[in-house]
Amino acid sequence: VTNAKSGPVPARIAEPGWWRQPFRMMQTNLRLIDAGLDVDAVAETVRAHGADAWLLNTGGIYASFPSELASQTPNPELGRRPSGDIVGDAVRAARARGLRLLARMDFSKVLPHVAADHPEWLYVSASGERQVFNGLVTTCPSAGYFQQEAFDILSEVLRRFDVDGFFINWFMYSEWTYSHEYLGPCHCQTCRAEWRAEHGGEPPTGPQDAGYATWQEWSRAKVLELGGRLRAHIESISPDTPLILHDTADIRYAEANNAVGREFWPHQTDESVSAAFTRQPQTPVLVNCVSFLDFPYRMAVESPDRFANYLVQAMARGGAISTYIMGPPGAIDYGPVLEVAGDITRFHQRHDDLYAHLEQTAEAVIIDPVAADVHGPGAAATAEFRGLYSALRELHVPFDVLEAGELSRVPTAQLDRYSTMVLPDAARVPSVAATAVDEWVSRGGRLIATLAEVGTGGMPRALGIEAIERSDIGASLLSAYAMDREGGVVPLHGVAHHVRPVDGAASASRLVPPARYGPPEYCYGHEASDEPSLVEYIHGEGRSATFTWSMGRAYRELDLPSLRHHFALALRDLAPEIFLATDLPESIGVIAGRSGDRQVLHLVNHTGLHRNGFGTPVVASGYSVDLPAGAHSIHALVADQVLTSTLSDGKVRVALPPISTFEVLTWKDAE
Ligand SMILES: [Zn+2]
């Protein structure tokens, strides 16, 4: 395993295309009644915000210009402008100020008269229902509107306007209506015929059907394939016009948003941007940050501190940032968000060169099960992952994120950039992923794993565990513990397994089976068994340490510091060098990167964390970090200071300036 800091740098920005350089965007999502907008005033606001690209509604449901296509209905309010053309006016206003104008398209729905003309374009449920909301009818990505008409719609825009890029909204097989009504996978004629040809029978009707997982993969592959063809179509007409969409596009779209009723996960943006770059380092990621609460509440302004966290997490991982508002600026009062967003966007603009070259360089990686189903079958897997993620962040271990499905796909050299891997739910990974993990450990990798849910996949041999003999869950775990080698005990929670280690594996912590609990008079008698709760093993050139229980979920749900300490003990034994030496509190996280010859450390202040969002952080003063020997030219970019340092045990100790929302530390290594 090579040291992360000396590995090759994927030269994302070396390729042609303006979008490979860092950029900042503002989206004005227009309502029909906004047709009279003052394009010069908007362009001025976009520029003053620190953005250099403006995303504007162009076509799809309504066209913001007098389209000649029968499928495109011009906004009936276009008569409010002398030109009758919002897009043409906006392109001119943007050009005059050196801004790029990006066109927002939406092929997911059509107006009733278009639906009447083309019933074959529409989504149809298994029972023959359409998805209709406010009169708009959902279309199907398999059918003609997406497969043919969309190409003509894009061609018309490119013929008429010098736009700098496209974004296509809601590009997916829709199973839900806007009003949260579940109608299931599409059963239109095209979908049924294609499904029958490829899989036989009828498409599934929902997650309860056996074929649903296959349908999810099938529909995802179709969306990726179609996105790739649309991208190629745009490129064939205008090579310098990128498509913002997903993995097969030029720029990957990510949205940082809130949703009423969805479990809050404070690291959502950090996780998704890191996973995107680890998967495909060459493709830029744009994070569009939503200024309002949720789509039914587009006039309710988001918490400015939550918004600040979206932006900071996105840019700390190297993402392009964007502020998304409804209407032209001022139509709805997003003032507090715009103020914070403008400050951070202009910071990004001032440090354009740093962000242009920013690459992830953490030596540790956490494997993401991508099971973000926080209430359904994936709930336990999500909790397992998020608990370990939080623990690493609080322990000041810089790390990247890699999706489990990518383990067997990323090039060996890319995986070998990591010295240490954190693998939640190790018995649940697919067999090919388990093999990739085994090979990586045998080449010298250090693995820390947990056994939580047991799936149909293959458990990595590198764990040194021959079999899981039986499992305790729920009530049968009450009053059970794990005891570490220091004699400390932590509660078992979630699921614990009785395992048979292979010869040569060592037990580093032990299970303490339940004893009586309840009336205090009876609460004694716990004794550690000989069974391991943490198995250590040497595999090839590498090593592993495996918690035989759901350590991550326990930390996620119980938040006990002793659980984090229990995890840290095992991790320090395995990979002591991956911890940043600092006296920072646990609520200030670190994200490591490199930009050219500068090392970069983003410090993110999470002291404002609330149950369902972020409030104002406490300014953190008087802390320090230790940098490697020889570190010099140390800057704090937010404080805009050159920092002084002292030598301590061969390390360079740096006194940090007060940290409000975030700070960015840069330094150069010894020559
Ligand atoms: Zn369909």
Side-chain angles (χ1 to χ4, degrees):
V1 175
T2 57
N3 186 309
K5 293 188 173 70
S6 61
V9 183
R12 179 166 84 240
I13 61 163
E15 311 260 329
W18 66 262
W19 61 93
R20 295 183 187 279
Q21 305 298 325
F23 66 96
R24 296 148 291 271
M25 188 178 90
M26 184 177 236
Q27 175 181 8
T28 55
N29 218 352
L30 299 187
R31 307 159 298 173
L32 293 179
I33 56 169
D34 296 323
L37 82 165
D38 179 345
V39 290
D40 290 299
V42 178
E44 277 303 321
T45 305
V46 171
R47 193 171 66 167
H49 192 69
D52 30 42
W54 172 16
L55 177 61
L56 178 77
N57 314 52
T58 297
I61 300 172
Y62 282 98
S64 302
F65 64 95
S67 169
E68 287 158 16
L69 296 172
S71 71
Q72 297 296 285
T73 307
N75 177 344
E77 308 283 329
L78 284 180
R80 294 187 187 199
R81 327 184 57 79
S83 65
D85 176 0
I86 302 172
V87 184
D89 293 347
V91 168
R92 181 190 48 71
R95 282 288 169 281
R97 292 164 181 84
L99 299 175
R100 301 191 186 274
L101 199 281
L102 308 178
R104 177 188 184 274
M105 314 299 290
D106 190 336
F107 304 126
S108 68
K109 292 170 193 67
V110 290
L111 287 163
H113 72 271
V114 181
D117 288 347
H118 291 283
E120 77 283 7
W121 285 355
L122 307 177
Y123 165 92
V124 185
S125 77
S127 57
E129 285 172 278
R130 293 176 179 178
Q131 285 182 18
V132 184
F133 194 71
N134 289 336
L136 298 176
V137 192
T138 300
T139 52
C140 173
S142 295
Y145 189 54
F146 272 89
Q147 296 285 336
Q148 287 113 36
E149 188 71 11
F151 289 77
D152 295 341
I153 297 169
L154 293 171
S155 297
E156 186 192 39
V157 173
L158 284 167
R159 200 165 53 238
R160 293 184 69 128
F161 307 108
D162 187 16
V163 296
D164 297 291
F166 285 100
F167 163 63
I168 306 177
N169 186 53
W170 207 257
F171 194 90
M172 62 175 84
Y173 283 79
S174 182
E175 295 164 74
W176 299 80
T177 68
Y178 259 117
S179 52
H180 298 287
E181 189 189 357
Y182 186 73
L183 292 176
C186 182
H187 283 64
C188 76
Q189 285 193 356
T190 314
C191 280
R192 290 175 63 200
E194 291 183 359
W195 181 268
R196 205 175 301 124
E198 290 174 51
H199 299 287
E202 289 290 311
T205 60
Q208 73 284 353
D209 286 2
Y212 183 71
T214 310
W215 179 84
Q216 282 184 305
E217 271 174 48
W218 179 79
S219 58
R220 183 179 142 74
K222 291 181 90 66
V223 155
L224 284 171
E225 188 273 336
L226 175 59
R229 273 194 288 129
L230 287 165
R231 189 204 76 83
H233 174 70
I234 295 166
E235 190 184 27
S236 72
I237 300 171
S238 177
D240 210 31
T241 304
L243 174 63
I244 304 166
L245 196 56
H246 44 47
D247 279 17
T248 51
D250 302 289
I251 303 168
R252 196 183 297 102
Y253 182 79
E255 195 167 287
N257 61 23
N258 200 339
V260 174
R262 185 177 71 200
E263 184 179 278
F264 174 53
W265 170 232
H267 309 297
Q268 186 68 61
T269 305
D270 177 64
E271 176 193 334
S272 63
V273 179
S274 178
F277 276 125
T278 313
R279 184 170 76 225
Q280 219 169 285
Q282 310 284 3
T283 307
V285 179
L286 172 70
V287 182
N288 201 14
C289 306
V290 180
S291 300
F292 51 83
L293 174 64
D294 194 358
F295 61 79
Y297 297 103
R298 292 188 195 257
M299 280 172 271
V301 61
E302 184 52 272
S303 145
D305 294 296
R306 182 174 179 136
F307 199 90
N309 262 281
Y310 292 159
L311 293 172
V312 170
Q313 290 180 29
M315 66 194 210
R317 291 294 191 176
I321 55 174
S322 170
T323 301
Y324 162 14
I325 61 169
M326 287 294 298
I332 297 171
D333 185 10
Y334 297 116
V337 156
L338 289 182
E339 214 169 291
V340 164
D343 284 345
I344 297 174
T345 305
R346 289 184 294 272
F347 174 86
H348 190 275
Q349 186 182 43
R350 282 198 299 282
H351 298 285
D352 194 80
D353 182 55
L354 178 104
Y355 289 107
H357 299 87
L358 185 61
E359 307 281 349
Q360 305 193 91
T361 56
E363 294 180 39
V365 64
I366 187 168
I367 306 304
D368 189 339
V370 206
D373 179 9
V374 290
H375 302 297
T382 301
E384 188 63 29
F385 166 71
R386 291 181 177 176
L388 298 177
Y389 197 111
S390 297
L392 287 172
R393 182 52 51 84
E394 292 160 11
L395 292 165
H396 304 118
V397 173
F399 61 94
D400 294 349
V401 180
L402 177 65
E403 290 158 336
E406 299 298 318
L407 267 168
S408 54
R409 289 187 210 132
V410 294
T412 302
Q414 199 180 325
L415 209 52
D416 285 356
R417 215 172 60 68
Y418 301 107
S419 69
T420 308
M421 181 185 294
V422 179
L423 178 62
D425 259 333
R428 207 171 160 273
V429 293
S431 310
V432 284
T435 305
V437 170
D438 283 336
E439 289 170 1
W440 171 83
V441 175
S442 68
R443 292 194 299 272
R446 286 167 292 171
L447 175 70
I448 189 153
T450 66
L451 293 180
E453 303 298 298
V454 177
T456 53
M459 184 157 55
R461 287 173 45 239
L463 303 187
I465 293 172
E466 206 165 286
I468 292 176
E469 295 186 321
R470 62 189 173 84
S471 308
D472 293 325
I473 55 166
S476 62
L477 275 184
L478 291 174
S479 137
Y481 299 87
M483 181 184 283
D484 64 38
R485 68 178 123 240
E486 295 174 347
V489 291
V490 293
L492 295 185
H493 175 76
V495 56
H497 304 285
H498 301 267
V499 303
R500 192 167 66 239
V502 301
D503 286 344
S507 166
S509 292
R510 292 180 294 160
L511 290 175
V512 182
R516 291 185 302 190
Y517 63 96
E521 291 85 348
Y522 283 169
C523 294
Y524 57 88
H526 286 91
E527 281 190 45
S529 70
D530 291 333
E531 284 194 77
S533 61
L534 177 63
V535 174
E536 290 180 345
Y537 187 58
I538 293 172
H539 180 76
E541 302 288 308
R543 290 172 57 195
S544 69
T546 305
F547 291 96
T548 62
W549 58 288
S550 53
M551 158 80 228
R553 178 177 161 198
Y555 187 54
R556 174 74 176 151
E557 292 176 0
L558 308 177
D559 253 325
L560 277 185
S562 59
L563 283 164
R564 189 179 60 218
H565 177 69
H566 191 73
F567 174 66
L569 273 181
L571 189 57
R572 273 190 202 281
D573 277 354
L574 204 64
E577 79 289 352
I578 64 172
F579 292 77
L580 179 75
T582 178
D583 58 0
L584 279 167
E586 67 202 33
S587 47
I588 299 197
V590 295
I591 298 170
R594 181 185 48 208
S595 176
D597 62 352
R598 282 183 286 179
Q599 300 294 341
V600 182
L601 199 64
H602 280 75
L603 307 164
V604 188
N605 187 338
H606 282 168
T607 55
L609 197 55
H610 285 206
R611 181 181 168 216
N612 276 323
F614 288 100
T616 314
V618 175
V619 176
S621 301
Y623 297 105
S624 65
V625 294
D626 289 354
L627 304 180
H632 63 98
S633 308
I634 307 160
H635 286 76
L637 302 184
V638 175
D640 197 14
Q641 287 172 16
V642 176
L643 301 183
T644 53
S645 59
T646 52
L647 272 179
S648 164
D649 294 335
K651 292 253 186 178
V652 175
R653 177 156 297 173
V654 182
L656 295 168
I659 304 165
S660 174
T661 302
F662 72 111
E663 182 53 270
V664 185
L665 214 58
T666 68
W667 70 91
K668 292 181 180 174
D669 286 329
E671 273 89 30

